[in-house]
Amino acid sequence: MKLHFNAATVAVSLLGLSQAQTPQSRQIAIIGAGPAGASSAYFLQKFAAEAGVNVNITVFEKTDRIGGRTRTINPFEDPAQRVEQGASIFVQANQIMYNAMTEFGLSPRTPDPDADPVMGIWDGDCFVFTIDQSAPTWWNTIKVALKYGLTAPQRAQTLTAATITKFLRIYNAPYFPFQSLTQRAQELDLTSATGVTGEQFLSQNNIGARYAHDLIQASTRVNYASNLANLHGLTTMASLGAQGATAVQGGNWQIFHEMAQRSGATISLNTAVVGIQKTGSQYTIQTTPGSTPGNPTAHPVNFDNVIIANPYQFSGISAGQGVFQGPIEQIAYVQLHVTIFSSPRRLSPGYFDLPNSATAPGTVLTTLAQSDTSTSGVDGVGKAGFFSISIIAKATNPQTQQQEYVYKIFSPQVVTASFLSPISWYKPHVFNSYPKSTPRVTFQDPIVGAGVYYTSGMEAFISTMETSALMGKNVARLIVDNMLGTSSGGPVTP
Ligand SMILES: Cc1cc2nc3c(=O)[nH]c(=O)nc-3n(C[C@H](O)[C@H](O)[C@H](O)COP(=O)(O)OP(=O)(O)OC[C@H]3O[C@@H](n4cnc5c(N)ncnc54)[C@H](O)[C@@H]3O)c2cc1C
Ligand SMILES: *[C@@H]1O[C@H](CO)[C@@H](O)[C@H](O)[C@H]1NC(C)=O
């Protein structure tokens, strides 16, 4: 028998480390190429390279594209015209998104010069508030103050900033990485926000009820299709933090596409994972062709780690004995219809009981009417009937060569073409968009089995591209630390 060894294996045996920690490649499967999966892949490669260990990453994605709930579409099927039907905005505090955009040479979308500056909040009976964003700030400040007082907007701003500051500590040691989101939420004093409704959280912080009902609720409805009494305080703050938002020129999905490419992973598109089996200390994965389910086939490589990067309840995955150490929590999601359509006409003033001579606002957000009771989900829309409608772009109709308005409407039900008439182009889509975010203080943790990780527990805490990417990064750190034989992400002692 011929003996051959290299310096690394000698060092490893001298240190008494096991074979599993020799520099051979870890086989890692990532299921889902949305923000969480793409970020997991990107940071796994990055952390592994920094640490000098090898990973072989395989990404399985059931659709034909990377991006998950980011979805960029082309009005009139014209590739030069692009709008977001799914996740559309992020902010500078979203450091993973922002840094990736910069690092990948992508540009922030410049504000559309044609964008309509007038925003009205409609309750199904009347406009409770209207603001012209092209007016000077001081004028709008006065307008808000006259109706809602001076303190409510100021306190809301301060509370949002303070909550975001608390949250941002999770990006850095000792709070990053984390094995338990529940534990970090407590340590960062964020359960005080997640444990109560937005309505309670705002009232505890002395923010006037009328301001909350009209302006803040309009914001939670456009961002999370939820009323203030039905979603928790942290999600409420995330909705308010959306001011000053940006997007990637040409589509947000590009960030995740680039992350996946740069990870060096083998990317299997049109491949749905339907089964995970534990075989010894490894996992086998069964897949079917994504859109046309056929007989499952076993992927030829066994995996040391599996990252499930999509809401498990919708994944269609069945897991065998011993894969999970306990059940994965099912979270109630909002089913949201997002319809993008184009019309040469502006919204009808008559629909909103405005005189025919009036111009309807280009953006109509909504809140509950006096007669509405606040419920969650589809019924929660109330008398207004939709969560928001806005002009998001202008596009050229190839048939008429005329510029038309491109609208986006968020609604709990299918929007019929008759409601929208006259329209010249239309693309509906229905999403399991985000959790209903009812108050809670515990969250599905990311470690769900021996070497098996799950990212979507994050969504009940805050559901955004950034937070999913953060959970992907967190799982990547935990895996590479585990490869290095260090246990990271435990409790932080104050
Ligand atoms: C209409 C809408 C508007 C939104 N607006 C914003 C916004 O403005 N800003 C923001 O930050 N966030 C927004 N969000 C939320 C954001 O899109 C999500 O938080 C984020 O996409 C979650 O990322 P994820 O990777 O966890 O899941 P997903 O984006 O859902 O990605 C999961 C991926 O897994 C794939 N998959 C599922 N099952 C399998 C399987 N069995 N095998 C293989 N692949 C599988 C799916 O096809 C998908 O590609 C919005 C969401 C919606 C729907
Ligand atoms: C890496 O993973 C791919 C896809 O799962 C597989 O085809 C390949 O054999 C693996 N490479 C190594 C060196 O294990």
Side-chain angles (χ1 to χ4, degrees), residues 25-28 55-60 266-268 299-303:
S25 232
R26 268 245 190 153
Q27 305 289 354
I28 304 174
V55 289
N56 185 37
I57 310 167
T58 310
V59 177
F60 298 96
T266 303
I267 300 167
S268 294
H299 186 76
V301 177
N302 283 357
F303 295 99

Side-chain angles (χ1 to χ4, degrees), residues 31-37 60-63 65 67-70 85-89 271-273 309-311 314-315 317 336 338 410 431 433-434 455-456 459 463-466 468:
I31 308 172
F60 298 96
E61 168 53 53
K62 77 173 169 197
T63 69
R65 60 183 189 90
R69 276 168 268 166
T70 58
Q85 191 161 29
S88 54
I89 51 167
T271 310
V273 172
N310 61 75
F314 306 127
S315 70
I317 299 173
L336 186 68
V338 183
F410 288 154
F431 293 92
S433 54
Y434 11 66
T455 58
S456 300
E459 286 200 67
S463 173
T464 57
M465 297 181 276
E466 174 73 11
S468 279

